[in-house]
Amino acid sequence: MTDFHPAPSPGQIAEAAHAFARNGRIRIPDFLQHGAAEALHAFLQAAPWWRTFNQGERTWDLGPESIEVLTPEQASQLEQAIHEGARKGFQYVYETVRVSEQSSERSERGFPVDRLLEAMNTAPALEMWRELTGDPDVGLVDGQATRYLPGHFLTRHDDDVEGKNRVAAYVLNLSPEWAPEWGGLLQFHDAAGEVTGAMVPGFNVLNLFRVPQSHSVSIVAPFAPAPRYSITGWIRRG
C-alpha cells in the first residue's frame, strides 16, 4: 500500500517554517516519498478529467463526454468567450478531478488523490501544516487534481474568499522535466501587477504561500510537450 503521508523531516519543516514566516512563500522539494509521487503521476495521466472555467463568478465544469461532442465552431466560441473574460478580469480554464472534503466520500472512492488528501488531514500532518504556516488554528486541508493543457491559464487573484478561512495555498507539482519557457509558472504580483517572483513546475515539489497574496498561473505554451500536472488546494482554519 502506497504511503501518501508528507515526507519532510522535522528539521526540514522547522527550516521551511522560518522561511515562510519571513517571505510568505516557500518551496519544499521531495515532499512525498518517491513512490507516492510516482503513483500520483501515473493516476493523473489516466484520470477522468473535467474541464473547468468561469464566467464572472459562475463556475462551469464540462465532463469528458460534453467536451467530445463540442463542434469545432462551439469549441472556438467557447475559447473566444474565455479569452474575452481574461481581457476584462478574473478568468481561468484548466482541467480538474475534484476531491470531497468529507473523509467518508474520499475513502469510498479511493483514488490516489483521495488517499493523498486523507493523509494530509491526519493529526500529524495537520500539526505539520500548523508549524509551517505559524497558525495554530489550522484544521483542514482541501484539494483537487489539476491538469493544464496548452492554452490553459489562471489570471491574477488573491484566494481571499469570505467564509473559507484560508491560511495558505499549496501546489504539489507533479510535472517531470518542465522548462520555464513552456509556461504554467506560478507567478506572484505586487499591487501594481508587476511580477515579483515565479515558481517553475517541477516533480514532487510543494509550493506553499500565504493567503491573501496576488498570484496567477501563466498560460501553457502550445509547444509544451506534456500537461502541467499538480494537486492544489488550501490550508484552512478548522
Side-chain angles (χ1 to χ4, degrees):
M1 179 71 72
T2 304
D3 182 0
F4 288 100
H5 290 85
S9 68
Q12 290 172 315
I13 294 169
E15 182 179 354
H18 286 303
F20 188 85
R22 290 193 308 271
N23 305 320
R25 54 183 186 253
I26 55 174
R27 190 169 171 88
I28 304 176
D30 300 321
F31 184 71
L32 300 175
Q33 294 182 20
H34 185 73
E38 290 284 359
L40 282 167
H41 184 248
F43 164 73
L44 296 177
Q45 290 177 295
W49 295 103
W50 286 60
R51 182 79 45 82
T52 185
F53 59 93
N54 69 303
Q55 288 183 308
E57 296 184 359
R58 185 171 181 179
T59 295
W60 294 87
D61 286 349
L62 295 183
E65 293 180 358
S66 298
I67 295 171
E68 288 177 2
V69 300
L70 287 175
T71 66
E73 182 180 4
Q74 289 171 326
S76 177
Q77 290 174 346
L78 177 58
E79 182 179 59
Q80 289 177 24
I82 289 170
H83 290 173
E84 181 68 20
R87 282 190 286 272
K88 295 180 177 180
F90 176 58
Q91 184 69 52
Y92 60 82
V93 57
Y94 57 88
E95 295 188 332
T96 181
V97 177
R98 301 199 183 276
V99 180
S100 175
E101 293 182 15
Q102 301 301 316
S103 177
S104 60
E105 294 181 12
R106 294 194 297 257
S107 297
E108 181 179 356
R109 188 171 68 169
F111 285 172
V113 66
D114 297 310
R115 292 165 57 199
L116 172 69
L117 265 294
E118 279 292 290
M120 299 225 293
N121 279 279
T122 59
L126 290 173
E127 189 56 41
M128 178 198 71
W129 296 118
R130 294 179 192 118
E131 182 175 355
L132 283 171
T133 62
D135 192 315
D137 296 324
V138 165
L140 173 67
V141 181
D142 64 21
Q144 63 178 329
T146 66
R147 179 173 75 169
Y148 283 68
L149 300 173
H152 290 179
F153 61 88
L154 173 64
T155 63
R156 192 162 20 120
H157 63 292
D158 66 10
D159 282 350
D160 189 14
V161 177
E162 185 177 358
K164 291 293 188 179
N165 299 316
R166 293 169 176 169
V167 175
Y170 73 88
V171 180
L172 176 56
N173 296 274
L174 292 162
S175 297
E177 301 178 1
W178 193 268
E181 55 266 31
W182 299 345
L185 305 184
L186 174 58
Q187 301 180 141
F188 298 93
H189 306 263
D190 63 16
E194 294 290 339
V195 176
T196 59
M199 295 177 175
V200 179
F203 186 72
N204 198 16
V205 177
L206 184 86
N207 300 333
L208 183 71
F209 57 96
R210 185 177 293 122
V211 172
Q213 190 165 174
S214 182
H215 63 283
S216 64
V217 176
S218 65
I219 191 167
V220 175
F223 51 82
R228 176 195 188 269
Y229 291 120
S230 64
I231 311 299
T232 66
W234 292 273
I235 315 303
R236 294 161 52 182
R237 298 181 183 92

